Amino acid sequence: MLQRYKIHFIFFAVFVVILLLWTFPVILQLNRSAYGPIYGTDNRAVIWNFWWYHYAQQNHLNPDMNMMVNFPYGSGWTAPRIYPWYVYPAYWLSGLVNELFAYNILILVSFLFSFLSMYLLVFYLTRQANAAFVSGLIYTFAPYHVNKSWEHFGLMFIDFIPLAVLGLLMLKKKQNLHS
């Protein structure tokens, strides 16, 4: 059984090495530097929001309502409700290590999940691991994904698009919601 999945593990390990090389200077100092340009982008606010969540937890404040911004009315951040599978673990990591570490891990996980989701879709369609690997690389390191991971927090999460297509294809094949 393990021999059957050996090629998938090899391709996954090769992708992890490529991802580590892609983020080389940052991967050595995840808690001291950020991936991509921070100033002039929306990601600076994301890092600040990670800091705010940690600060609010330490001082028994409501982390969803920030009174430091737009005083006296406050400001809320909608990303925890939109991306809970990413943001809540990042909040937890920012409390353990720091905000930059949580931000960098969030980006690395986004790249990793993008590769895996496209790999699964193409392998489901073609049953060719080589084609799935190349497609996963192209999808993950596409200029759109790399650029948006540098500039806009919400637009870097493209990993569920191939999973949605895969789910629709599998649903069409089964035509049964109960199995």
Side-chain angles (χ1 to χ4, degrees), residues 113-124 131-140 159 161-163:
F113 284 169
S114 296
F115 172 78
L116 284 175
S117 63
M118 183 54 79
Y119 185 90
L120 289 173
L121 174 64
V122 174
F123 187 77
Y124 176 79
F133 177 73
V134 171
S135 299
L137 282 179
I138 291 170
Y139 185 73
T140 302
D159 46 354
I161 296 170
L163 289 180

Side-chain angles (χ1 to χ4, degrees), residues 47-179:
I47 294 170
W48 191 88
N49 280 312
F50 290 163
W51 170 84
W52 165 254
Y53 191 84
H54 179 65
Y55 178 82
Q57 291 293 331
Q58 284 181 334
N59 295 305
H60 307 291
L61 300 171
N62 180 8
D64 293 328
M65 181 52 75
N66 185 349
M67 297 307 286
M68 292 179 153
V69 177
N70 194 21
F71 185 79
Y73 305 107
S75 174
W77 195 41
T78 58
R81 290 182 292 282
I82 299 171
Y83 310 108
W85 53 90
Y86 286 116
V87 174
Y88 287 122
Y91 283 161
W92 180 71
L93 277 174
S94 66
L96 287 178
V97 183
N98 68 7
E99 309 76 46
L100 286 174
F101 184 83
Y103 170 77
N104 288 325
I105 290 296
L106 198 71
I107 289 179
L108 290 174
V109 167
S110 170
F111 278 104
L112 185 69
F113 284 169
S114 296
F115 172 78
L116 284 175
S117 63
M118 183 54 79
Y119 185 90
L120 289 173
L121 174 64
V122 174
F123 187 77
Y124 176 79
L125 291 173
T126 64
R127 296 292 179 214
Q128 296 290 323
N130 295 336
F133 177 73
V134 171
S135 299
L137 282 179
I138 291 170
Y139 185 73
T140 302
F141 296 115
Y144 174 85
H145 190 215
V146 172
N147 183 23
K148 296 310 170 192
S149 69
W150 285 359
E151 293 179 356
H152 302 289
F153 175 74
L155 297 177
M156 78 173 167
F157 300 115
I158 62 169
D159 46 354
F160 289 103
I161 296 170
L163 289 180
V165 172
L166 179 63
L168 289 173
L169 291 173
M170 292 175 83
L171 183 64
K172 183 181 179 202
K173 183 179 179 182
K174 289 265 183 174
Q175 298 261 342
N176 186 357
L177 292 176
H178 299 290
S179 60

Side-chain angles (χ1 to χ4, degrees), residues 15-27:
F15 174 76
V16 168
V17 169
I18 292 171
L19 183 62
L20 294 177
L21 290 174
W22 183 265
T23 59
F24 172 66
V26 174
I27 201 69

